[in-house]
Structures are given as C-alpha cells and as structure tokens.
Amino acid sequence: MGHGTNRVEDMSSPSNGTAGAGETVVEIHTVCLPPKKTAFQKLKKRVADVFFPDDPLQRFRNQTWRNRVILGLQSLFPIFTWASQYDLKLFRSDVVSGLTIASLAIPQGISYAKLANLPPIVGLYSSFVPPLIYAVLGSSRHLAVGPVSIASLVMGSMLSESVSPTQDSILYLKLAFTSTFFAGVFQASLGLLRLGFMIDFLSKATLVGFTAGAAVIVSLQQLKGLLGIVHFTGKMQFIPVMSSVFNHRSEWSWETIVMGVGFLSILLTTRHISMRKPKLFWISAASPLASVIISTLLVYLIRSKTHAISFIGHLPKGLNPPSLNMLYFSGAHLALAIKTGIITGILSLTEGIAVGRTFASLKNYQVNGNKEMMAIGFMNMAGSCTSCYVTTGSFSRSAVNYNAGAKTAVSNIVMASAVLVTLLFLMPLFYYTPNVILAAIILTAVIGLIDYQAAYKLWKVDKFDFFTCLCSFFGVLFVSVPLGLAIAVGVSVIKILLHVTRPNTSEFGNIPGTQIYQSLGRYREASRIPGFLILAIESPIYFANSTYLQDRILRWTREEETRIKEINGTTLKCIILDMTAVSAIDTSGLEAVFELRRRLEKQSLQLVLVNPVGTVMEKLHKSKIIESLGLSGLYLTVGEAVADLSSTWKAHGQP
C-alpha cells in the first residue's frame, strides 16, 4: 500500500473473507508520514515537552515591555501577584490563622529539633527565617512552613550513625547546617532546571510504607521520654530500640510515665475531636501549646519534691545567630552531609509540594511545582546560614492554617513574628518544660502518618505496589531509614523495568456486527478472524524489549498454528500488529521488526503493521521497512487491513 491517494474497495465479511451483494464499501486510507522537520526542530519540541510542559513564556507573548517586567517579577516573586489587592479584611484572616499555627509551631519546633538530635532552640530558629522567605517566593496560600517530623527523623538517624550529637555536638551541628544547605541547593536546582519529575520516583506506595515505618520508629524513640530513660540507644531500628527499652527498666520513672500518659491522652482526644468536627480545629491546634504551659507549671511547682522528671533547661534568648562560618565544605564527613542533604531534600520537597497541591485543589487555584522547588530550596539555603535546619511545608500546620481561614502567605509572616517575640522575650519560660511533653507532642503528630487505609487500597488495586509499600515499611523498621527508602525506590524501579522490558501483548478479535477489534481475553463476544493473527503491542519498542517482543510474537504464531491444527481450521496467512500504543521505537526496535518480517516470510506468513504513530512511522519509512512490507503491509485500522487482505486473497482464488 502506498502513500498516495486513498483507495476504495469492496469490504469483505470479516468472518469468511467473502463479499456478497448489498454489502457496504469500505474506504482504505493511506497511512501518512508526519510533516518534515529538521533535527533542531525535533530537539526543540522534545526539550519543550520534557522540561516546559506548562509553557512558562506564554503569558509574556503580545505584552508591552512594562507588562513583561511586571509579569517577570510576579514569576520570580509570587508575592507581587496578590500584594496589590491585599486589604484589611484579608489581613484579619491571616493574623488569626498565623497566631493559630504559631501556637502549634512553637512546641512542634522544639520537639522536632530534639527528634533530629539538635538543640531545641534550633527548632524555633527554623520556624522564624524560612517562613519569611517562603512568604515572598512561595506560590501556595495555605502552606505553613517549618520543621517536619520525617525530615527531622531522617537527618537525626543519618548523621548520628557517624557523629555523636552529645560527644561531638559542634561537629554534629555543622553537619546539620551543611546538610540543610545541600538540601536547599538540590531543591532549588530541580526547580531552576525544571527537573521536578525526578521526585516522581518516590511513588505513592513508597511514601505510604516509608512514612508508616518512620512513624513507628519515631514513636518507639519517644519511649525514652515517656518512660524517663536516661541512657538510650541512638540507633533507629526496631530491635535495638526495643532492646534498649527493656534493658533499662531500672531507669523507668513512674512520675514521668503518669505525666506522659496523661498528656498523651489529652492530645489524642483533642486530635480525635478535631478530626470528627473540623470546625473545632482550634482545639487540637491549641492543645500542644496548652500542654506545654500546663506541664511546665506542674514541673515548676513540684521541682523540689521530685527530680525524676527531666526538663529542657536553659534556652538562649535572641534572634538566629549567623551560621555561615559553620558550613562544612571539606573533611571526612562531607560526603555524609551531601547524602543526608539530598535525601532529606527529596523527602521534604515531596511533602511540601504534595501538601501545597492538596490545599490548592480545595480552593481551586494552582501551585507551580517548579516555583515551589525554588522557594523551598532558597529558604533552606538561607536557613542553613541562619542556624536553621531543613524545613518544608508541614501537613498538620497547613491543615490548621487552612481551617483557620488563611487567605495568603502573610499567615507565615504572622507566625514568624510570633516566633520572633518568643525568641526575644519568652525563652526563660521554657526552662522547666518537661521532655516527656515533647515526646507526647511528637507521638501525637506522627500517629497520623500511619495510613493503613491507603495500604489497604494498595492491596486491593495493585499487589505489586503493596509489595513495594511493605518493602519500604519493613526496610525502615528493621534495616535503617535511608536504606529502607532506597530499597523501596529500588523495588519501584524494578517495577518500571519490568513494564519496559516485558511489555504486554494481547490477541485481538472482531466484535460481531462491527469493525471494532478488541482483546479476546477481555471481550467474550470477540471472535478470531480465520487466516489472521491480530496482536496489539502496548508499549514503546526499545533495545530493552525488542528481542522479547520478537520472541513473544513468534510464540503467539506457533501457538495459533497449533490451535488451528487441532481444530482443522483455516491456514494462518497473516500476522497483523496493531501499533497504536507503540509511542516510540529505536534502531534496535526497527531491526527487530525487520527480522520478524524476514522470519515470518520464511514460514510463508505475511506481516502487516497497523496505525504506527507519527515518529514511529517516520523511522519505519527512513529505515526502508515500509518498502520491504510491500503495498499491502501498512494500514490505518485493523478493520481496513482485514477487509482489504481478505478481498485480495479472494481475487486470487485463495481460500
């Protein structure tokens, strides 16, 4: 079949290859080549599709230079998009939500810093500078920025494996700030180079298992504070943690246990109330700070009667001290800082973007992923120079921010202002804050990370994804946090490779009374066409799967010939490959198609290709495969191929 004008033929009956009087006529269409393009045009389009799916320059077209400057500023600093319309009504809403999340951010900041094995004051520093930067650069109206449990846990576990946070506290602090700097560089680079698709390798299944495993480990680590244990393991695996708990039973403190269980019950109850009745969100938002205040007063009042309950102690007043001179760019632990930065950067970026998009969808506005990467990256880079560790958008604080009625990112500025007041004037009040209350706050926060409903859904929908989830969960629980994540990512990559190297092929049949051809395995009414084997390939044809596809098609052919012999059916004459789902083909794939045609020809079988897409068609044409297939080797639809070939065989007197 050539590439000229269309042909009109009598349509044969799909079931027997004969045409009778009164039968309809089918138009046999030509499969066209795509428009000619230069190599530069093809490269330009491909780069645009990969890196610029949103066409960021579209809004600049047909604009004056003044408008282009304004649009450019809005692109770089999203605050300019809403600042001109900001009014007192919006400010009142943002003040209420900002003060509400500050009441949650202050105790969480102190708690999460301890989770990362850092001084508690660093958690408050990290709740001051990064939110200010995000308010200028971020595109989400509801994202509340600060330390988060997962990133804190990962940083603490990775750094403490090589450096002791107690025996070598200065070096540990340097590595934490340096890791934060590299996390920011990595995040901003992804945004600037528009490489956000890299974080998509952290699949939903991976994150569900990882966060659940991390939540369990974090919860078990808090047994140190809840039980009042002084000597505790620094390891983050299930067995060492539980061994440490029971090996130090002599250190358990009943006073600490009573206080911990009491406040934990209060925090979990208020959380449950707010989940059941979202309008009462302020109860769970205020309960951590209220618990800190009440427990601090209790410890202060009974300090002379018992020394069993440990407390935070002195916290320095004042603004964030500069830490640029503490960044660690040479030495034996530089690789550790880079590795920790990249892993915590990926996790915090994934969480921040996911949380931002979640609340944006509820209010019907868009969050720009690349802008978010740059905003989170730059705030971590700046934070590393101002005594902050890795921060991102927190789900719990963002949920409170959303429910409190936040309208813009000014709520982050209000929160930072409240933290500033705390840093300047209120730090002595935290002297008697018990460590057990921090453990209870962390426990309450991380329990919500165990999403058993999502795991059950994975089991119902995709067993392989559920297996990935389990690998991530048990890897974190029994191996280590970073290795558990690596195992899960590795399993996800294996899944991708299986889909690429072992793509699905299916046999098609005709649905009676129509020109529709569908899978015989899915549609019971579909029937085989005598003399034809119709196969559909459901993936690109690459070097990684070309040999497999060739062997699989030949196996289909052998099985069909065996089936025909068993039923004494019509001899197999033609193999039709439906290439509608073949989105791309490389030189190895072309060679496989050519070799398949040659081997089938030796068996007196004809190979026909149906509906190759533009780029595939172009490569088939340039490689001369189209010419080797002959005039009847290429069709636009399976129906046209069956009708035309059946008619041709009939004209030549073939059965």
Side-chain angles (χ1 to χ4, degrees):
M1 187 173 183
H3 305 287
T5 58
N6 296 339
R7 297 184 297 157
V8 178
E9 301 281 353
D10 289 335
M11 186 182 78
S12 302
S13 171
S15 60
N16 56 20
T18 62
E23 295 221 9
T24 57
V25 175
V26 65
E27 186 176 8
I28 307 301
H29 297 86
T30 299
V31 182
C32 298
L33 285 167
K36 287 188 176 180
K37 291 182 180 179
T38 64
F40 176 75
Q41 289 174 324
K42 293 176 184 176
L43 179 63
K44 180 181 177 183
K45 184 180 185 305
R46 186 60 179 160
V47 170
D49 289 343
V50 172
F51 297 103
F52 303 97
D54 53 345
D55 191 8
L57 299 179
Q58 182 180 6
R59 59 194 304 218
F60 292 92
R61 297 189 180 102
N62 303 319
Q63 297 285 345
T64 63
W65 279 106
R66 181 177 178 275
N67 287 341
R68 287 180 180 177
V69 170
I70 294 173
L71 290 172
L73 287 173
Q74 290 177 348
S75 296
L76 293 173
F77 306 101
I79 191 173
F80 286 112
T81 60
W82 50 264
S84 58
Q85 289 88 33
Y86 200 73
D87 55 25
L88 186 60
K89 183 180 178 181
L90 294 175
F91 181 67
R92 282 199 296 265
S93 298
D94 288 336
V95 166
V96 172
S97 57
L99 292 175
T100 305
I101 56 176
S103 67
L104 183 62
I106 292 170
Q108 278 191 350
I110 295 172
S111 304
Y112 292 157
K114 290 184 71 66
L115 186 59
N117 299 317
L118 293 168
I121 190 66
V122 174
L124 289 180
Y125 291 156
S126 303
S127 300
F128 172 52
V129 172
L132 295 175
I133 297 173
Y134 182 83
V136 176
L137 298 177
S139 60
S140 172
R141 303 172 196 167
H142 300 98
L143 199 69
V145 170
V148 293
S149 57
I150 294 297
S152 302
L153 166 70
V154 172
M155 176 173 284
S157 62
M158 292 185 69
L159 294 182
S160 60
E161 285 181 358
S162 300
V163 178
S164 171
T166 54
Q167 298 176 3
D168 208 343
S169 58
I170 300 299
L171 176 59
Y172 187 90
L173 200 59
K174 287 182 178 180
L175 291 176
F177 294 150
T178 308
S179 299
T180 302
F181 176 80
F182 283 115
V185 170
F186 178 73
Q187 292 165 336
S189 299
L190 289 182
L192 288 170
L193 300 175
R194 306 182 73 85
L195 297 175
F197 60 85
M198 290 178 62
I199 65 174
D200 292 337
F201 279 97
L202 286 178
S203 65
K204 173 70 173 178
T206 300
L207 290 175
V208 168
F210 174 79
T211 52
V216 172
I217 288 294
V218 170
S219 301
L220 295 177
Q221 278 282 339
Q222 302 321 302
L223 292 176
K224 172 186 178 182
L226 285 175
L227 300 176
I229 299 174
V230 178
H231 302 92
F232 200 73
T233 180
K235 296 181 179 180
M236 304 297 290
Q237 294 85 25
F238 178 83
I239 294 175
V241 170
M242 294 307 297
S243 298
S244 184
V245 168
F246 290 104
N247 289 337
H248 295 94
R249 289 192 300 272
S250 59
E251 297 182 7
W252 292 11
S253 165
W254 69 267
E255 298 98 326
T256 304
I257 294 173
V258 170
M259 178 176 282
V261 171
F263 279 102
L264 181 60
S265 301
I266 293 171
L267 290 168
L268 290 175
T269 302
T270 56
R271 180 177 179 271
H272 179 71
I273 292 172
S274 296
M275 288 179 66
R276 293 289 299 271
K277 297 182 178 180
K279 290 185 178 180
L280 299 177
F281 69 91
W282 55 270
I283 295 178
S284 64
S287 58
L289 186 59
S291 299
V292 167
I293 294 171
I294 295 171
S295 63
T296 302
L297 287 173
L298 283 174
V299 172
Y300 177 76
L301 293 174
I302 64 173
R303 68 188 187 281
S304 59
K305 298 180 180 179
T306 179
H307 299 285
I309 301 176
S310 63
F311 46 83
I312 291 177
H314 174 70
L315 292 176
K317 289 199 301 183
L319 294 176
N320 301 33
S323 57
L324 181 62
N325 61 326
M326 296 186 72
L327 297 183
Y328 184 97
F329 292 128
S330 62
H333 300 290
L334 178 60
L336 173 64
I338 295 174
K339 182 173 70 172
T340 304
I342 290 175
I343 292 178
T344 55
I346 291 174
L347 291 173
S348 59
L349 195 60
T350 303
E351 180 175 354
I353 293 177
V355 172
R357 286 177 174 169
T358 297
F359 292 104
S361 65
L362 296 176
K363 286 295 184 179
N364 197 28
Y365 69 93
Q366 284 189 329
V367 168
N368 188 302
N370 288 298
K371 288 181 182 177
E372 289 298 286
M373 292 176 202
M374 289 188 283
I376 295 173
F378 286 131
M379 77 182 188
N380 278 318
M381 291 168 66
S384 68
C385 301
T386 53
S387 300
C388 305
Y389 77 107
V390 66
T391 54
T392 188
S394 163
F395 186 83
S396 58
R397 266 165 281 164
S398 298
V400 169
N401 197 32
Y402 174 84
N403 289 319
K407 302 298 182 184
T408 69
V410 169
S411 59
N412 275 294
I413 298 175
V414 174
M415 179 191 71
S417 302
V419 174
L420 172 63
V421 172
T422 303
L423 287 169
L424 290 177
F425 306 110
L426 305 180
M427 296 316 296
L429 300 180
F430 291 96
Y431 186 90
Y432 289 104
T433 300
N435 288 313
V436 66
I437 199 63
L438 303 181
I441 291 171
I442 292 174
L443 265 171
T444 307
V446 300
I447 282 175
L449 297 175
I450 304 175
D451 194 348
Y452 61 90
Q453 291 179 334
Y456 178 66
K457 186 176 180 180
L458 289 173
W459 167 256
K460 287 177 61 178
V461 175
D462 191 322
K463 299 297 190 292
F464 199 103
D465 273 354
F466 181 74
F467 176 69
T468 303
C469 176
L470 289 183
C471 287
S472 183
F473 178 77
F474 288 112
V476 169
L477 211 58
F478 293 102
V479 184
S480 72
V481 172
L483 283 178
L485 182 62
I487 290 170
V489 171
V491 172
S492 298
V493 171
I494 289 172
K495 178 183 178 181
I496 295 171
L497 292 176
L498 283 175
H499 284 304
V500 171
T501 60
R502 295 295 182 267
N504 188 41
T505 56
S506 56
E507 185 178 3
F508 275 22
N510 175 249
I511 297 178
T514 72
Q515 283 297 305
I516 299 173
Y517 289 79
Q518 281 294 340
S519 170
L520 292 170
R522 288 178 59 198
Y523 295 86
R524 293 182 180 180
E525 65 271 28
S527 59
R528 292 180 172 87
I529 308 300
F532 292 92
L533 174 61
I534 306 168
L535 301 175
I537 302 173
E538 300 176 3
S539 81
I541 304 177
Y542 290 133
F543 65 92
N545 63 22
S546 58
T547 302
Y548 168 80
L549 284 173
Q550 182 181 331
D551 293 340
R552 187 69 185 91
I553 292 168
L554 290 172
R555 177 183 167 188
W556 275 112
T557 305
R558 290 193 300 271
E559 290 174 349
E560 180 65 11
E561 288 178 331
T562 301
R563 188 191 67 82
I564 290 171
K565 286 180 181 178
E566 290 176 352
I567 64 171
N568 295 318
T570 304
T571 306
L572 182 63
K573 299 176 185 178
C574 179
I575 314 297
I576 297 178
L577 293 186
D578 186 348
M579 302 183 72
T580 303
V582 180
S583 58
I585 192 169
D586 65 2
T587 52
S588 297
L590 293 170
E591 287 293 328
V593 173
F594 187 83
E595 176 65 17
L596 179 64
R597 184 202 65 81
R598 189 184 64 80
R599 294 180 66 172
L600 291 174
E601 197 175 59
K602 286 184 177 181
Q603 301 176 42
S604 300
L605 295 172
Q606 182 180 359
L607 177 65
V608 171
L609 305 183
V610 168
N611 195 29
V613 299
T615 54
V616 175
M617 179 64 187
E618 185 178 19
K619 291 183 179 180
L620 289 170
H621 176 69
K622 288 183 177 180
S623 64
K624 307 297 183 183
I625 289 178
I626 298 298
E627 294 180 9
S628 68
L629 291 172
L631 293 176
S632 58
L634 186 66
Y635 291 88
L636 190 60
T637 68
V638 174
E640 291 181 6
V642 171
D644 190 45
L645 290 169
S646 298
S647 176
T648 302
W649 296 342
K650 180 184 176 184
H652 288 82
Q654 298 179 20

